[in-house]
Amino acid sequence: MTQATQHQTQQTSATFKALKCKECGTEYEPQAIHVCEECFGPLEVSYDYDALRRHVTRETIQAGPNSIWRYRPFLPVMTDNPIDVGTGMTPLVKSNRLARRLGLKNLYIKNDAVNMPTLSFKDRVVSVALTRAKELGFSTVSCASTGNLANSTAAIAAHAGLDCCVFIPADLEAGKVLGTLIYSPTVMAVEGNYDQVNRLCCEVANTHGWGFVNINLRPYYSEGSKTLGYEVAEQLGWKLPDHIVAPLASGSLFTKIYKGFQEFIQVGLVDDKKVRFSGAQAEGCSPIAQAFREGRDFVTPVKPNTIAKSIAIGNPADGVYAVDIAQKTGGNIESVSDAEIVEGMKLLAETEGIFTETAGGTTIAVLKKLVEAGKIDPDETTVVYITGNGLKTQEAIQGYIGEPLTIEPKLDSFERALERSHTLDRLEWQQVLI
Amino acid sequence: MTQATQHQTQQTSATFKALKCKECGTEYEPQAIHVCEECFGPLEVSYDYDALRRHVTRETIQAGPNSIWRYRPFLPVMTDNPIDVGTGMTPLVKSNRLARRLGLKNLYIKNDAVNMPTLSFKDRVVSVALTRAKELGFSTVSCASTGNLANSTAAIAAHAGLDCCVFIPADLEAGKVLGTLIYSPTVMAVEGNYDQVNRLCCEVANTHGWGFVNINLRPYYSEGSKTLGYEVAEQLGWKLPDHIVAPLASGSLFTKIYKGFQEFIQVGLVDDKKVRFSGAQAEGCSPIAQAFREGRDFVTPVKPNTIAKSIAIGNPADGVYAVDIAQKTGGNIESVSDAEIVEGMKLLAETEGIFTETAGGTTIAVLKKLVEAGKIDPDETTVVYITGNGLKTQEAIQGYIGEPLTIEPKLDSFERALERSHTLDRLEWQQVLI
């Protein structure tokens, strides 16, 4: 792997202007930096919204590719040839059977469990980050990951012909490790939790000239999540929903969906409207939910211990911003147990035919909890973000989903098995009645 | 589960007319039947192509949904509200890095490894079959499956609120079993190979009133695969490719891509053109490749023994039609070893960032073999169909894809591991040179 040649910024008609500190507002040239030199606040990309308002319409977007790149003017890249492997434009599924089960009337699942190419919302942020990495001259890309990000970075780097080295906690689910190794990157399995992996990567980013998608490229990377806001607005017929429920790991996804909605309002693509933002965490790693519950404006780090490894970030970078958004929009942040997470995965699969990973189970379980607590109005148009695929976390449900009935290839063997299963169904049913 | 109430055919403006025997031409009302009563030939759906020519244009298709249902007039359903969970319109990826590796110039991957909702092309056929099953009044749906079909039938039945019982060979990959059980259907694991499962299901279809998607609903079901032809034509800018390579299991997919191209020519949506059709089988189950090699017009059944279980059909229903198409279009049918299949999976992942299952590895390995034998011209616009996802067949590559480098969460531990991996790279490189 070669060292990156950085800082080759070109002049183009890009609508993004600068990096701006979220805390003190200091502006920087759009390079591979992510922390304000003045106040150590996080940097965020700013745009020329007047230009966007003049040049972007619903029609120009609809005439674009069937991927996140239909929103290219809202994304921090200069090229007209971004890395496009079909990422984004995942289905917004009207979920009538799940809605009925929960007592809701207008429920939608935004299904990134089938996002392309690696079946999680991370493909959005990585497509943006690697496109920008190429513009900035990096030849080696990297990330600190709980699994999905490693899958996505390795896959899209392979497609783009970039060298790749990913860092993961050593105890990840087998499907996530194998789903990274298949693309032949260098994989560093760190004996520690995600927060330790992340700290190590910050050091490596400082000492090697690599493009870490979620460290020195983080301002660009995180903007990719805005497309989860844009797509929902477009798929609802250029309207915003009343309420969204999304998982919280670092909190970045949550804040960027919010930014996406705000930008669409600002440039006139949708009518202004208050959308309630509710967030989901696993009890075993719920620092943001705890801060929300206690009305704090700071997040106290925790040591993760949950089956929902993909959202197990004990020291969430954007936690305080997530709390702020939930508070000011009238939403909630809740947490659920590992047992509830498994039930959430099963509930979504049985009612809607969507097989999500533990993070999605968390989100569905929190949805259920919020409905039962009266914190979601049955009439609200509610969108639930499902961010990853269940085939990657098979361990989590092994032992909780029944077993096949083994039979011989003969009609009478089948008939006997069917009779047994009907009897079992009746017994279960009687137990319900008792 | 309740018995199906069949035969509730409604009158609508559907463009499909009848079921017609592929052998003797006898026509039947479009009911849940699949075999000709006169000659035992397979039944196929026929359409009013004059009406299609008058009413369907490129524009009407493009104005349709972003799923297989944009081609609804070419599909055998009457409803205007089919089961649409976003199936189809998967990316057609220009595969420059794989092309360069093989010495081709115009290579595309049609990537159904990310089809929705269950990550294989089977979601296409099942969406059509279950929509038709509801029209015909079935309340329980079923299938004989090598895995992907069970995943898809169980998931889409869950979404549609249909009862579901699937039949699989007992020795399937863990991911395929679990990826079915999660949707809570009844799963019958049959101690036998797929051909034995299929024979049992034929008996069950005759004795129970269930809708078996690939038996009594097979004429409708199989039409769903035509969308893999339509989409490629549309995605190439309403042009047909020069050459396609697809996996062969029953042979149905192959014949339906062909039918899709022919229909688009017939109704004037694309220019007439000869497309070469090449097929891929695993050596351990290659009855169609053997028939092609020996110039036979019949297929001799074999007993499957390969890691490519999803295409391990020893007695392929449409095998002779596949041989015929390969012969008359100037294509080829080849087979590859299990070792070549694994190499094919790795090659596609490393060059294009697409993680496919064993069937896709088979197809890539056959592509390579055909190129090396001079049977694909480097200049031909070649489309390779990747039909399923690698997360479902993790066993196949375990032990063949390297391992993570385990490190402590410290910079010096990382530096030492990186140095080791560079040394290993150099040694491998020296071995190549030796």
Side-chain angles (χ1 to χ4, degrees):
Chain A
M1 277 177 276
T2 58
Q3 292 262 327
T5 320
Q6 285 186 48
H7 313 302
Q8 300 182 347
T9 315
Q10 304 144 31
Q11 296 303 316
T12 78
S13 61
T15 48
F16 78 101
K17 294 189 304 185
L19 296 182
K20 193 172 174 180
C21 176
K22 267 186 101 158
E23 293 297 328
C24 73
T26 304
E27 291 205 353
Y28 297 86
E29 285 290 304
Q31 302 300 333
I33 50 173
H34 65 300
V35 176
C36 178
E37 288 170 14
E38 304 294 325
C39 75
F40 301 105
L43 301 183
E44 192 169 49
V45 179
S46 65
Y47 297 81
D48 180 349
Y49 289 111
D50 289 335
L52 285 169
R53 181 180 265 278
R54 282 195 305 276
H55 297 302
V56 181
T57 64
R58 294 176 182 179
E59 290 70 30
T60 61
I61 290 172
Q62 283 165 335
N66 187 43
S67 72
I68 58 167
W69 296 110
R70 67 206 279 117
Y71 309 109
R72 199 199 67 80
F74 293 95
L75 295 172
V77 303
M78 296 198 259
T79 178
D80 286 326
N81 289 303
I83 302 170
D84 189 352
V85 286
T87 302
M89 289 306 279
T90 54
L92 182 70
V93 181
K94 183 81 159 71
S95 302
N96 294 331
R97 280 171 40 84
L98 177 58
R100 267 200 301 278
R101 192 80 79 88
L102 297 176
L104 296 176
K105 290 180 190 155
N106 295 300
L107 179 65
Y108 293 84
I109 302 289
K110 178 61 174 172
N111 185 11
D112 259 21
V114 289
N115 198 16
M116 301 170 191
T118 67
L119 314 174
S120 86
F121 87 100
K122 293 292 185 187
D123 292 328
R124 301 173 182 273
V125 284
V126 171
S127 291
V128 174
L130 297 198
T131 297
R132 185 69 186 141
K134 286 181 80 172
E135 290 181 347
L136 291 171
F138 289 102
S139 60
T140 299
V141 291
S142 189
C143 65
S145 172
T146 57
N148 281 322
L149 181 57
N151 295 171
S152 186
T153 302
I156 301 179
H159 177 84
L162 291 160
D163 284 328
C164 179
C165 177
V166 301
F167 294 74
I168 55 175
D171 70 342
L172 272 197
E173 298 94 341
K176 287 194 174 159
V177 179
L178 180 136
T180 299
L181 285 169
I182 185 70
Y183 306 108
S184 288
T186 302
V187 180
M188 296 282 169
V190 181
E191 289 176 326
N193 61 34
Y194 173 77
D195 299 288
Q196 291 172 292
V197 175
N198 193 40
R199 269 199 301 276
L200 171 61
C201 287
C202 290
E203 290 187 67
V204 177
N206 285 333
T207 52
H208 288 65
W210 294 355
F212 276 80
V213 299
N214 55 341
I215 300 177
N216 50 345
L217 294 168
R218 190 174 182 85
Y220 309 103
Y221 157 91
S222 58
E223 289 286 285
S225 292
K226 295 190 307 186
T227 58
L228 273 170
Y230 304 148
E231 288 179 18
V232 161
E234 181 177 348
Q235 289 170 322
L236 286 174
W238 303 100
K239 283 198 185 79
L240 299 183
D242 298 316
H243 204 144
I244 72 108
V245 184
L248 294 173
S250 73
S252 171
L253 169 70
F254 202 68
T255 64
K256 294 295 180 170
I257 295 171
Y258 182 79
K259 186 177 179 188
F261 287 164
Q262 293 302 310
E263 287 180 332
F264 263 26
I265 293 170
Q266 188 170 352
V267 302
L269 285 165
V270 297
D271 288 339
D272 195 357
K273 174 176 172 179
K274 182 166 161 187
V275 182
R276 298 169 72 195
F277 272 64
S278 289
Q281 294 211 291
E283 254 170 41
C285 183
S286 53
I288 308 176
Q290 287 167 23
F292 180 85
R293 205 172 297 133
E294 295 164 15
R296 285 192 263 115
D297 65 353
F298 61 94
V299 171
T300 309
V302 302
K303 206 167 168 194
N305 179 22
T306 169
I307 58 168
K309 294 175 198 265
S310 69
I311 52 172
I313 298 184
N315 188 11
D318 293 293
V320 289
Y321 301 114
V323 170
D324 177 56
I325 288 170
Q327 282 170 343
K328 73 186 177 197
T329 62
N332 290 277
I333 299 176
E334 262 298 351
S335 61
V336 288
S337 69
D338 284 359
E340 288 172 300
I341 291 169
V342 171
E343 285 307 309
M345 293 170 72
K346 289 169 64 176
L347 177 61
L348 182 63
E350 287 170 17
T351 54
E352 294 298 333
I354 293 171
F355 182 17
T356 185
E357 61 164 18
T358 45
T362 307
T363 312
I364 294 296
V366 164
L367 170 74
K368 185 164 178 280
K369 197 166 178 177
L370 292 176
V371 174
E372 286 168 356
K375 291 176 175 170
I376 292 180
D377 191 297
D379 289 311
E380 281 184 309
T381 297
T382 301
V383 173
V384 177
Y385 286 90
I386 295 299
T387 50
N389 197 291
L391 284 170
K392 297 188 189 182
T393 61
Q394 299 181 25
E395 298 89 334
I397 50 163
Q398 213 101 42
Y400 297 102
I401 49 166
E403 291 195 348
L405 303 166
T406 304
I407 62 173
E408 294 168 68
K410 290 174 183 164
L411 194 58
D412 63 341
S413 178
F414 158 70
E415 300 283 8
R416 283 197 306 274
L418 190 67
E419 183 53 41
R420 279 201 309 278
S421 90
H422 282 173
T423 308
L424 288 174
D425 283 351
R426 270 197 301 277
L427 287 174
E428 273 181 32
W429 196 227
Q430 282 166 359
Q431 284 182 323
V432 171
L433 294 176
I434 294 161
Chain B
M1 281 176 274
T2 59
Q3 292 264 324
T5 321
Q6 286 185 46
H7 313 303
Q8 300 182 347
T9 318
Q10 304 144 28
Q11 295 304 313
T12 77
S13 62
T15 46
F16 79 101
K17 294 188 306 187
L19 296 182
K20 194 172 174 180
C21 176
K22 267 186 101 159
E23 294 297 328
C24 74
T26 304
E27 291 204 353
Y28 297 86
E29 285 289 304
Q31 302 300 333
I33 50 173
H34 67 297
V35 176
C36 177
E37 287 171 15
E38 302 295 325
C39 76
F40 300 104
L43 303 182
E44 191 168 49
V45 179
S46 66
Y47 298 81
D48 181 348
Y49 290 111
D50 289 335
L52 285 169
R53 182 180 264 277
R54 282 194 306 275
H55 297 303
V56 181
T57 65
R58 294 175 181 178
E59 291 70 30
T60 61
I61 290 171
Q62 282 164 336
N66 187 43
S67 72
I68 59 168
W69 296 109
R70 65 207 279 115
Y71 311 108
R72 199 198 67 79
F74 293 94
L75 295 172
V77 304
M78 296 198 260
T79 178
D80 287 326
N81 288 303
I83 303 169
D84 189 351
V85 286
T87 302
M89 290 306 279
T90 53
L92 182 70
V93 181
K94 184 80 159 69
S95 301
N96 294 332
R97 279 170 42 85
L98 178 58
R100 267 200 302 277
R101 192 79 79 90
L102 297 176
L104 296 175
K105 291 180 192 156
N106 296 299
L107 180 65
Y108 293 84
I109 302 290
K110 178 63 174 171
N111 185 12
D112 259 22
V114 288
N115 198 15
M116 302 170 190
T118 67
L119 314 175
S120 86
F121 88 100
K122 292 293 184 185
D123 292 327
R124 300 172 182 274
V125 285
V126 171
S127 291
V128 174
L130 297 197
T131 298
R132 185 68 186 141
K134 285 181 81 171
E135 289 181 347
L136 291 169
F138 290 101
S139 60
T140 299
V141 292
S142 189
C143 65
S145 171
T146 57
N148 281 322
L149 181 56
N151 294 171
S152 186
T153 303
I156 301 178
H159 177 83
L162 292 160
D163 284 327
C164 180
C165 177
V166 301
F167 295 74
I168 55 174
D171 69 345
L172 273 197
E173 298 95 342
K176 288 193 173 159
V177 178
L178 180 137
T180 300
L181 285 169
I182 186 70
Y183 306 108
S184 289
T186 302
V187 179
M188 297 282 171
V190 181
E191 289 175 328
N193 60 32
Y194 173 77
D195 300 288
Q196 292 173 294
V197 175
N198 193 41
R199 270 200 299 278
L200 171 61
C201 287
C202 289
E203 290 187 67
V204 178
N206 285 332
T207 52
H208 289 65
W210 294 354
F212 276 80
V213 299
N214 56 342
I215 300 176
N216 51 345
L217 295 167
R218 188 174 182 84
Y220 309 103
Y221 157 92
S222 57
E223 290 285 286
S225 292
K226 294 190 306 185
T227 58
L228 274 171
Y230 304 148
E231 288 179 18
V232 162
E234 181 176 348
Q235 289 170 323
L236 287 175
W238 303 100
K239 283 197 186 81
L240 299 183
D242 298 316
H243 203 143
I244 71 108
V245 185
L248 294 172
S250 74
S252 171
L253 169 70
F254 202 68
T255 65
K256 294 295 180 170
I257 295 170
Y258 182 80
K259 187 178 179 186
F261 288 164
Q262 293 302 310
E263 287 179 332
F264 262 26
I265 294 169
Q266 189 169 352
V267 303
L269 286 166
V270 297
D271 288 339
D272 195 357
K273 172 175 174 179
K274 184 168 160 185
V275 182
R276 297 169 74 195
F277 272 65
S278 290
Q281 294 211 291
E283 253 170 42
C285 183
S286 53
I288 308 176
Q290 287 167 24
F292 180 84
R293 204 173 298 133
E294 294 164 16
R296 286 191 261 116
D297 64 352
F298 61 94
V299 172
T300 309
V302 301
K303 207 169 166 190
N305 180 21
T306 169
I307 58 166
K309 293 174 198 263
S310 69
I311 52 173
I313 299 184
N315 189 12
D318 294 292
V320 289
Y321 302 114
V323 170
D324 178 55
I325 288 170
Q327 281 170 345
K328 73 185 177 197
T329 62
N332 290 279
I333 299 176
E334 261 299 351
S335 61
V336 287
S337 69
D338 284 0
E340 289 173 299
I341 291 169
V342 171
E343 287 306 310
M345 293 170 73
K346 287 170 64 177
L347 177 61
L348 183 63
E350 287 169 17
T351 55
E352 293 299 333
I354 293 171
F355 183 18
T356 183
E357 60 164 19
T358 45
T362 307
T363 312
I364 294 295
V366 164
L367 169 74
K368 184 164 178 279
K369 196 166 179 175
L370 292 175
V371 174
E372 286 167 357
K375 291 176 174 171
I376 292 180
D377 190 295
D379 290 310
E380 283 184 308
T381 297
T382 302
V383 172
V384 177
Y385 286 91
I386 295 299
T387 51
N389 196 291
L391 284 170
K392 297 187 188 182
T393 61
Q394 300 182 22
E395 298 88 333
I397 50 163
Q398 213 102 41
Y400 298 100
I401 49 167
E403 290 196 350
L405 302 167
T406 303
I407 62 173
E408 293 168 68
K410 291 174 184 164
L411 193 58
D412 63 341
S413 178
F414 158 70
E415 300 283 8
R416 283 197 306 273
L418 190 66
E419 185 52 41
R420 279 200 309 278
S421 90
H422 283 172
T423 308
L424 286 173
D425 282 353
R426 270 197 301 277
L427 286 174
E428 271 181 34
W429 197 227
Q430 281 166 0
Q431 283 182 326
V432 170
L433 295 177
I434 293 161

